[in-house]
């Protein structure tokens, strides 16, 4: 089939079909309204492609996730977060020399502008770390006025990519330390990305544990057109700066149905623990349609068999806890909950499986990261994906401002009534 045919009022119209490199098919309905007066409607964009992208491929039915063609399992085992970031942005694995130069460049952004540190200090201690992360990211635009250009030169794009990876690592650690009333620890450019991060956070940084954290960041690095990435693209499409686009992405990630789920999972497991460890009540509440409670860390818009990231994380969880000598009852509760849910008809019939957030919090907790910082950790991991997607958007000649239509269902025209007569 080379054209998609639609019949409207007895007239057959043809629309172009696009086929992706993994044989994903789409119909281009850009002219539908002009031809027929119809728009399409698709709440939550279940069936709407917003772009063509060469960055990440995922197949939800088969549980496949690949960055630039490389399976996530291979990258998690053999690569590093900084190498994966390079891959996402430039589309190829770096040579040793390229990787080393890129690592040095990222590490060279080793201090924060003074006003940024002060801003973090000025935020009330009651502020959620994601709110600080978002505010600080857009505030960075003031330090790099020349990089606010929506169409940066190739050299500026490289600069933006390295500086955001370098600065956001320090911002994350600075938020953590400041909220706890602790002095900041300087970045040490001679350490690896994760070792330096852990040192700035004040965490014990053995090579094994830093590697575990590195794997977590790799697993979060990109996930095609999810809520926060789509937000980055929507904001970027208005020619807003990279800083504004990423800040908006951080806000979208904060939501409990998206990245914020990792914090909610841990809080849910702690609740179950407090109530004596019985997961039954949580399962019953999650199934009750009159209750807004959901089993956090379960279900996914795209994965309908399993989330390949969750498989890797579950394994890593056992390893990290063993390496750290931590025995965490929450891990047993999580495993018990997963087992019960997977055997339950409600979850089976709806294809609900643990997602990336179900076990990640247990690892963060074992590393000593407080619960309210979990979603910032997700943002740290997602940063290269957002940046690469923004760059791709800006380099795509078909890019237009994102501006969906609507079906208006409010009042039809009526006469204004004077206040005294209402
Ligand atoms: N607990 C109980 N029921 C659920 C859950 C859950 N976690 N997830 C979905 N359902 C039910 C939902 O009520 C609906 O039931 P019914 O068909 O009877 O109305 C059915 O399953 C389909 O769910 P949906 O809400 O239509 O699916 P969606 O694709 O719109 O939502 C989701 C996907 C991830 C938002 C949702 O599964 C959810 O809220 N999960 C919990 C939050 C969570 O863990 N989010 C992290 C996602 S992975 C990290 C990331 O990349 O963002």
């Amino acid at each position: 089939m080379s054209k998609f045919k639609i019949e409207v009022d007895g007239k057959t119209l043809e629309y172009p079909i696009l086929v992706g490199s993994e044989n994903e098919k789409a119909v281009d309905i850009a002219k539908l309204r002009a031809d027929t007066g119809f728009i399409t409607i698709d709440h939550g964009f279940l069936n709407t492609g917003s772009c063509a992208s060469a960055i990440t491929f995922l197949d939800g039915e088969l549980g496949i996730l690949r960055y630039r063609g490389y399976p996530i399992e291979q990258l998690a085992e053999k690569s590093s977060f900084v190498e994966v970031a390079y891959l996402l942005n430039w589309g190829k694995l770096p040579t040793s020399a390229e990787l080393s130069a890129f690592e040095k460049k990222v590490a060279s952004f080793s201090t924060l502008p003074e006003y940024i540190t002060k801003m973090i200090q000025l935020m009330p201690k009651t502020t959620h770390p994601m709110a600080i992360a978002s505010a600080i990211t857009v505030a960075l635009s003031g330090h790099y006025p020349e990089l606010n250009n929506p169409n940066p030169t190739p050299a500026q794009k490289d600069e933006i990519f390295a500086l955001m990876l370098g600065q956001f690592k320090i911002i994350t650690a600075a938020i953590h330390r400041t909220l706890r009333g602790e002095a900041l620890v300087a970045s040490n450019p001679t350490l690896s990305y994760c070792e330096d991060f852990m040192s700035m956070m004040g965490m014990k940084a053995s090579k094994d544990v830093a590697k575990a954290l590195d794997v977590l960041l790799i697993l979060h690095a990109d996930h095609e057109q999810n809520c926060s990435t789509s937000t980055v693209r929507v904001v970027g499409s208005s020619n807003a700066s990279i800083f504004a686009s990423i800040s908006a992405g951080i806000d979208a990630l904060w939501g409990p149905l998206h990245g914020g789920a990792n914090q909610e999972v841990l809080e849910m497991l702690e609740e179950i623990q407090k109530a004596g460890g019985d997961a039954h009540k949580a399962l019953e509440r999650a199934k009750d349609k009159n209750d807004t409670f959901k089993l956090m860390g379960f279900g996914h818009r795209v994965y309908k068999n399993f989330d390949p990231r969750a498989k890797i994380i579950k394994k890593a969880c056992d390893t990290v806890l063993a390496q750290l000598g931590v025995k965490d009852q929450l891990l047993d509760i999580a495993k018990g909950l997963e087992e019960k849910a997977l055997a339950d008809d409600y979850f089976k019939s709806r294809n609900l499986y643990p997602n990336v957030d179900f076990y990640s919090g247990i690892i963060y907790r074992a590393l000593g990261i407080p619960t309210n910082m979990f979603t910032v950790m997700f943002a740290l991991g997602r940063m290269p994906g957002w940046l690469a997607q923004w760059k791709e958007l800006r380099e795509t000649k078909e890019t237009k401002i994102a501006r969906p239509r609507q079906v208006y269902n409010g009042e039809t025209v009526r006469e204004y009534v004077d206040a005294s007569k209402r």
Side-chain angles (χ1 to χ4, degrees):
M1 183 167 56
S2 59
K3 293 276 182 192
F4 194 91
K5 291 188 181 137
I6 300 177
E7 200 180 296
V8 186
D9 291 336
K11 203 169 129 198
T12 303
L13 298 150
E14 291 189 338
Y15 293 98
I17 289 176
L18 311 180
V19 183
S21 53
E22 289 285 349
N23 210 26
E24 287 178 298
K25 298 181 192 73
V27 49
D28 177 351
I29 47 84
K31 296 208 169 75
L32 182 70
R33 184 168 172 276
D35 290 347
T36 66
F38 280 81
I39 60 162
T40 56
I41 192 141
D42 181 16
H43 297 286
F45 310 123
L46 270 88
N47 200 43
T48 297
S50 60
C51 61
S53 176
I55 301 173
T56 289
F57 171 71
L58 73 84
D59 182 322
E61 274 68 40
L62 298 178
I64 292 173
L65 173 61
R66 296 184 203 131
Y67 299 156
R68 300 285 189 181
Y70 295 99
I72 191 65
E73 293 79 5
Q74 289 181 24
L75 294 170
E77 189 190 333
K78 299 178 181 163
S79 187
S80 70
F81 176 61
V82 177
E83 184 178 70
V84 164
Y86 186 107
L87 170 70
L88 288 169
N89 198 49
W90 284 286
K92 67 168 195 105
L93 286 170
T95 62
S96 306
E98 285 166 336
L99 178 59
S100 162
F102 179 55
E103 283 169 338
K104 281 201 185 86
K105 179 83 182 156
V106 172
S108 73
F109 293 96
S110 60
T111 53
L112 292 178
E114 205 185 328
Y115 76 97
I116 290 288
T117 311
K118 282 200 179 129
M119 275 182 73
I120 299 175
Q121 287 162 349
L122 281 171
M123 298 287 236
K125 299 283 178 283
T126 47
T127 315
H128 191 283
M130 283 297 274
I132 307 180
S134 164
I136 291 305
T137 300
V138 76
L140 266 184
S141 60
H143 194 68
Y144 301 100
E146 71 290 359
L147 300 182
N148 283 279
N149 176 0
N151 297 308
T153 63
Q156 285 177 326
K157 276 185 232 164
D158 294 355
E159 183 82 359
I160 287 170
F161 193 66
L163 96 81
M164 287 303 293
L165 292 188
Q167 297 272 265
F168 200 71
K169 173 182 63 164
I170 308 179
I171 289 171
T172 304
I175 294 173
H176 170 68
R177 303 277 302 175
T178 307
L179 285 179
R180 290 156 70 99
E182 294 169 349
L184 302 191
V185 178
S187 170
N188 177 350
T190 64
L191 295 175
S192 74
Y193 190 88
C194 277
E195 285 172 315
D196 184 35
F197 172 70
M198 292 179 79
S199 145
M200 285 189 291
M201 292 281 283
M203 292 153 56
K204 279 189 232 124
S206 74
K207 286 245 179 278
D208 283 347
V209 175
K211 172 64 196 157
L213 182 62
D214 203 72
V215 169
L216 273 186
L217 298 185
I218 291 173
L219 296 178
H220 286 92
D222 194 48
H223 213 231
E224 50 118 301
Q225 306 314 316
N226 56 82
C227 179
S228 57
T229 303
S230 298
T231 302
V232 169
R233 280 183 175 261
V234 166
V235 176
S237 78
S238 77
N239 286 6
S241 76
I242 181 68
F243 304 100
S245 307
I246 299 290
S247 170
I250 293 172
D251 290 331
L253 187 75
W254 188 6
L257 296 187
H258 190 14
N262 58 13
Q263 172 173 346
E264 302 261 332
V265 170
L266 210 96
E267 286 166 1
M268 176 185 79
L269 295 174
E270 282 170 346
E271 283 288 311
I272 296 174
Q273 185 183 38
K274 260 194 244 149
D278 182 8
H280 181 74
K281 202 170 141 214
L283 282 186
E284 290 310 307
R285 281 194 67 194
K287 287 156 52 175
D288 181 355
K289 292 291 169 199
N290 297 317
D291 193 329
T292 53
F293 176 82
K294 282 186 169 189
L295 197 56
M296 299 313 283
F298 254 74
H300 200 274
R301 167 60 60 79
V302 186
Y303 294 122
K304 296 298 175 199
N305 265 323
F306 66 93
D307 179 340
R309 303 166 302 171
K311 267 195 171 175
I312 301 171
I313 288 193
K314 189 177 175 187
K315 224 167 116 196
C317 206
D318 286 320
T319 317
V320 171
L321 265 58
Q323 271 162 2
L324 290 169
V326 172
K327 177 97 192 73
D328 192 341
Q329 203 201 352
L330 292 194
L331 179 59
D332 300 329
I333 293 175
K335 284 183 176 172
L337 189 58
E338 176 186 350
E339 204 180 310
K340 279 199 176 65
L342 293 185
D344 189 298
D345 275 346
Y346 174 96
F347 293 91
K348 277 203 282 192
S349 64
R350 289 168 178 78
N351 296 317
L352 301 172
Y353 297 87
N355 59 50
V356 68
D357 286 329
F358 195 64
Y359 286 102
S360 63
I362 296 175
I363 302 187
Y364 292 140
R365 185 167 122 113
L367 295 176
I369 300 174
T371 316
N372 68 351
M373 282 297 295
F374 289 2
T375 316
V376 189
M377 296 302 299
F378 193 150
L380 182 67
R382 184 55 53 88
M383 189 57 68
W386 287 331
L387 293 163
Q389 297 268 354
W390 181 86
K391 176 168 168 271
E392 187 180 67
L393 169 98
R394 299 304 315 169
E395 290 174 353
T396 302
K397 71 174 182 342
E398 290 84 11
T399 292
K400 284 178 179 294
I401 185 168
R403 205 302 184 186
R405 288 191 173 260
Q406 63 167 14
V407 174
Y408 174 71
N409 63 3
E411 298 285 350
T412 54
V413 68
R414 45 185 173 165
E415 288 296 317
Y416 181 83
V417 182
D418 201 72
S420 61
K421 297 192 184 134
R422 283 175 219 158

